[in-house]
Amino acid sequence: MYSPHVQPAVSGASSGSRESTRDNVLNSVLTHGPVSAATIGDQLQLTAAAVRRHLDSLEKDGLVEVKSVAGSRGAGRPSRRYVVTQQGQSHLGDDYLDLASEAVRLLQEISGDEAIRSLARKHFASLEQRFSELVPEDADLTDRIRALTRTLDEAGFAASTRRAGRGGKVTTLRAAQICQGHCPIQEMAGEFPEFCEEETELFARLLEVDVRRLSTLPTGGHVCTTHVPLGRRAHASLIAHTAQRAEK
């Protein structure tokens, strides 16, 4: 399966050609968007001027766009965050998707909607197999979230995990959000929602908790976001894992 990832830049001086740095910036927006220019600079170890130059170029080409995000407390001017546009998603690759969509339409015409759902389950079977290889036998919810995020990322979905509700006083209401910045079958999933529905059911089964889709790329979102509720133990474990990664 196609993967949009490119090797990250080590530093502004050693990032290689201008095109490779531009690809790194686009990949950062894809994986972490909505994301600020400052965050991209920190991730890629690029100067603010270099990041803005590449973002301006990507925006001019219609591959990224600015999304205004209100501050956490609702005060002050909205901050600028970058996301990949629909054109940018197409730019990242959808080889043979038109032919595949035509084949699925024919399957639906011959065998009905249930055949589409069965096809979707088979499509995601490889993700489930890869997940089972990564998750430890004594896995808790945090382990499962990490394994699923890695599985999706390696499969080309530009996946990442964020914590939600960190400022909330009620720990049991806190959650993780699995974000997918790219969908290799976005146009097909837009025409056949069974693919998104089966993917959501797969996530719930693998994580062993009820999950909720907050947004999807096929329905116009800038990213596919899945809300995963955390109990007290899972929330504490996820915080510890985040701290360990920050120390490395």
Side-chain angles (χ1 to χ4, degrees):
M1 183 178 294
Y2 169 80
S3 174
H5 287 282
V6 292
Q7 291 299 318
V10 175
S11 67
S14 61
S15 59
S17 69
R18 181 176 301 179
E19 282 301 313
S20 66
T21 304
R22 171 186 158 104
D23 287 343
N24 287 338
V25 172
L26 178 59
N27 187 65
S28 185
V29 177
L30 179 73
T31 304
H32 302 285
V35 62
S36 68
T39 298
I40 294 173
D42 290 340
Q43 291 170 345
L44 303 181
Q45 298 183 26
L46 294 171
T47 64
V51 172
R52 284 195 296 269
R53 182 170 64 251
H54 288 294
L55 286 172
D56 287 345
S57 174
L58 291 166
E59 187 176 7
K60 181 179 179 180
D61 290 343
L63 302 181
V64 303
E65 63 184 355
V66 176
K67 178 180 180 182
S68 296
V69 178
S72 59
R73 297 183 180 179
R77 297 176 58 184
S79 58
R80 292 165 61 88
R81 296 288 187 272
Y82 291 86
V83 296
V84 175
T85 63
Q86 294 294 322
Q87 179 181 333
Q89 292 286 342
S90 298
H91 172 79
L92 289 165
D94 56 0
D95 296 345
Y96 305 109
L97 194 54
D98 288 341
L99 178 60
S101 296
E102 184 177 346
V104 174
R105 292 187 202 103
L106 181 60
L107 175 65
Q108 184 181 45
E109 182 179 337
I110 295 173
S111 303
D113 293 340
E114 187 54 37
I116 305 300
R117 193 168 295 280
S118 178
L119 177 64
R121 293 191 195 103
K122 291 181 179 179
H123 173 73
F124 293 116
S126 60
L127 290 179
E128 186 164 6
Q129 177 61 36
R130 178 56 178 155
F131 172 87
S132 66
E133 295 171 356
L134 290 176
V135 70
E137 292 184 3
D138 58 345
D140 59 14
L141 179 55
T142 302
D143 293 326
R144 291 181 173 277
I145 291 172
R146 289 162 55 189
L148 179 56
T149 303
R150 179 178 170 184
T151 298
L152 292 169
D153 196 52
E154 292 177 348
F157 290 88
S160 60
T161 305
R162 300 174 180 174
R163 287 189 288 124
R166 67 181 66 185
K169 295 182 179 180
V170 183
T171 307
T172 53
L173 295 182
R174 295 175 184 173
Q177 291 181 353
I178 298 178
C179 302
Q180 297 159 255
H182 180 62
C183 176
I185 58 168
Q186 180 176 337
E187 292 184 16
M188 184 185 296
E191 184 174 355
F192 303 101
E194 289 87 351
F195 282 88
C196 287
E197 293 166 5
E198 286 299 320
E199 186 182 57
T200 303
E201 290 185 16
L202 173 67
F203 290 178
R205 185 167 70 252
L206 297 183
L207 298 178
E208 299 180 351
V209 295
D210 290 331
V211 303
R212 180 163 52 95
R213 260 314 173 34
L214 302 181
S215 65
T216 66
L217 287 161
T219 56
H222 294 298
V223 65
C224 293
T225 305
T226 304
H227 178 92
V228 184
L230 299 173
R232 286 186 173 86
R233 292 178 59 186
H235 180 260
S237 178
L238 189 61
I239 291 176
H241 173 65
T242 302
Q244 290 173 358
R245 291 189 62 182
E247 293 174 355
K248 294 181 178 179

